[in-house]
């Protein structure tokens, strides 16, 4: 079987108003995340898929994020198979942080990548 290459984007190239889906676990999210991102841990993803389809119903591109890009690649592949315009963020949160992109926490503590 031939698999199309997974669509991916560099962390520095994600638009500042882009729609980010974070599939990391709760402890990783709490340490630091992209402001305005939708958080659905990969472990909950299938059960909460409707939340994503609602959020992306306008057809906008979904930028999928994890820590280094492995889990998000799996989720991106699934989304593409469902006909959703999804791209994997190469290097995940580590690349996002390395590119100097902003991160926030829900508790006001300094954000970091767990």
């Amino acid at each position: 079987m031939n698999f199309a290459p997974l669509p991916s984007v560099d962390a520095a190239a994600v638009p500042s108003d882009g729609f980010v889906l974070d599939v990391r676990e709760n402890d990783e999210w709490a340490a630091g995340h992209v402001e305005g991102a939708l958080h659905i841990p990969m472990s909950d993803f299938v059960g909460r898929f409707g939340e994503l389809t609602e959020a992306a119903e306008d057809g906008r591109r979904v930028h999928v994020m994890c820590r280094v890009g492995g889990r998000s690649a799996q989720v991106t592949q699934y989304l593409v198979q469902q006909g959703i315009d999804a791209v994997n963020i190469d290097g995940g949160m580590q690349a996002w942080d390395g590119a100097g992109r902003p991160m926030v926490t829900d508790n006001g503590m300094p954000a970091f990548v767990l």
Side-chain angles (χ1 to χ4, degrees):
M1 272 213 268
N2 286 338
F3 289 102
L6 189 69
S8 63
V9 65
D10 192 74
V14 176
S16 57
D17 62 347
F19 177 42
V20 175
L21 168 67
D22 191 323
V23 299
R24 297 175 303 149
E25 295 304 314
N26 291 329
D27 57 337
E28 295 173 286
W29 168 267
H33 55 266
V34 177
E35 189 166 13
L38 175 63
H39 179 225
I40 304 179
M42 186 170 167
S43 55
D44 296 342
F45 192 73
V46 174
R48 294 177 59 189
F49 183 64
E51 291 176 45
L52 172 69
T53 54
E54 266 181 49
E57 67 186 353
D58 55 8
R60 62 187 161 157
R61 170 164 285 177
V62 179
H63 300 84
V64 189
M65 169 87 79
C66 68
R67 190 169 71 91
V68 293
R71 288 170 287 179
S72 55
Q74 294 176 53
V75 171
T76 300
Q77 187 172 17
Y78 176 77
L79 294 176
V80 169
Q81 289 169 346
Q82 307 306 310
I84 293 171
D85 179 11
V87 294
N88 187 35
I89 298 176
D90 270 338
M93 281 300 289
Q94 288 187 333
W96 184 272
D97 189 29
R101 301 294 302 263
M103 296 186 301
V104 297
T105 60
D106 294 334
N107 61 10
M109 298 293 288
F112 66 97
V113 178
L114 184 66

